[in-house]
Amino acid sequence: MNTTSALPLIKLIEQFERLPGIGRKSAQRLAFHVLDLSYERAEEFAQAILEAHKKIKKCAACQNLTEDEFCPICAGDDREAGVICVVEDPRDILAFERTREYKGLYHVLHGLISPMEGIGPEQLSIRELLARLSDGAVTEVIMATNPTVEGEATATYLARLLKPMGVKVTRLAYGIPVGASLEYADEVTLYRALEGRREI
């Protein structure tokens, strides 16, 4: 196989390698799997990616991913509007929803403050969070960022911003091991962390 004819394959492997958690060998496996698909299945796969990109956007309120202006949680009227749980990533909402215990609303930051990676507060959806708190209806904000250095720094930064607004700011209890990801926490651990939250 000469380099010119292999170029599309190399490009495909490189694209898979850019995905989080995918190394060179996994990228090669995925690329060869895609090449084994029929043309129709490969087209379906590519179309699903393009359609998701076109249709999925951020919720106008909480910044979660949705097809509509508001996500189903924000659009529903059965949630406790006075409590907002701040998470790093939309996947964290799925983890909390599995507990079936949390009844408040959410706010997705889409990242954490990380000077090492060049991510500052202006890259996160902090302005949108402050806008939601401006009418005084929210009484508590739960910081549910991951228990990592970046997660702690982000929670502390937000707590300093929110305190002058007269909002109670709490932090998840440490039922979740330091350095762990909320996405992988089981329902019971998450529920206990939520129940044992403390003010910061």
Side-chain angles (χ1 to χ4, degrees):
M1 197 190 302
N2 69 43
T3 314
T4 312
S5 64
L7 195 57
L9 176 59
I10 291 165
K11 279 184 176 174
L12 185 60
I13 291 167
E14 285 170 354
Q15 290 303 318
F16 278 120
E17 220 175 339
R18 289 179 180 174
L19 297 173
I22 302 292
R24 185 77 178 164
K25 281 201 158 89
S26 296
Q28 287 172 353
R29 243 190 333 272
L30 290 167
F32 282 107
H33 174 74
V34 166
L35 290 175
D36 282 341
L37 296 174
S38 67
Y39 184 81
E40 290 75 24
R41 290 289 308 280
E43 205 167 26
E44 266 177 50
F45 183 64
Q47 198 54 47
I49 293 171
L50 294 172
E51 196 175 339
H53 254 279
K54 199 190 314 184
K55 292 187 176 176
I56 296 173
K57 54 192 174 218
K58 290 178 184 175
C59 169
C62 74
Q63 308 298 300
N64 191 11
L65 299 178
T66 181
E67 280 187 61
D68 304 308
E69 186 182 0
F70 296 100
C71 74
I73 294 170
C74 290
D77 54 6
D78 58 338
R79 308 295 290 216
E80 198 180 318
V83 181
I84 291 179
C85 182
V86 176
V87 295
E88 173 190 347
D89 188 272
R91 287 170 295 191
D92 298 333
I93 291 178
L94 299 175
F96 274 106
E97 288 299 288
R98 280 198 312 265
T99 70
R100 298 180 189 277
E101 297 293 337
Y102 178 68
K103 304 298 180 203
L105 298 173
Y106 296 96
H107 190 83
V108 184
L109 294 173
H110 291 281
L112 296 171
I113 295 170
S114 177
M116 296 287 283
E117 290 177 35
I119 302 168
E122 57 286 343
Q123 272 99 18
L124 309 179
S125 60
I126 293 173
R127 273 192 314 273
E128 293 83 353
L129 175 62
L130 296 176
R132 293 178 74 186
L133 303 177
S134 61
D135 65 0
V138 175
T139 55
E140 182 185 2
V141 173
I142 304 166
M143 293 298 156
T145 52
N146 286 317
T148 59
V149 173
E150 292 84 1
E152 289 300 317
T154 305
T156 304
Y157 175 83
L158 286 173
R160 284 192 191 130
L161 268 186
L162 304 183
K163 284 279 188 174
M165 299 176 85
V167 180
K168 180 181 178 185
V169 183
T170 57
R171 182 85 172 110
L172 285 187
Y174 286 103
I176 297 163
V178 173
S181 182
L182 289 177
E183 183 189 350
Y184 303 111
D186 65 89
E187 293 86 345
V188 178
T189 304
L190 256 182
Y191 173 60
R192 285 186 181 149
L194 197 57
E195 282 291 284
R197 65 185 182 272
R198 57 183 169 74
E199 194 162 352
I200 52 174

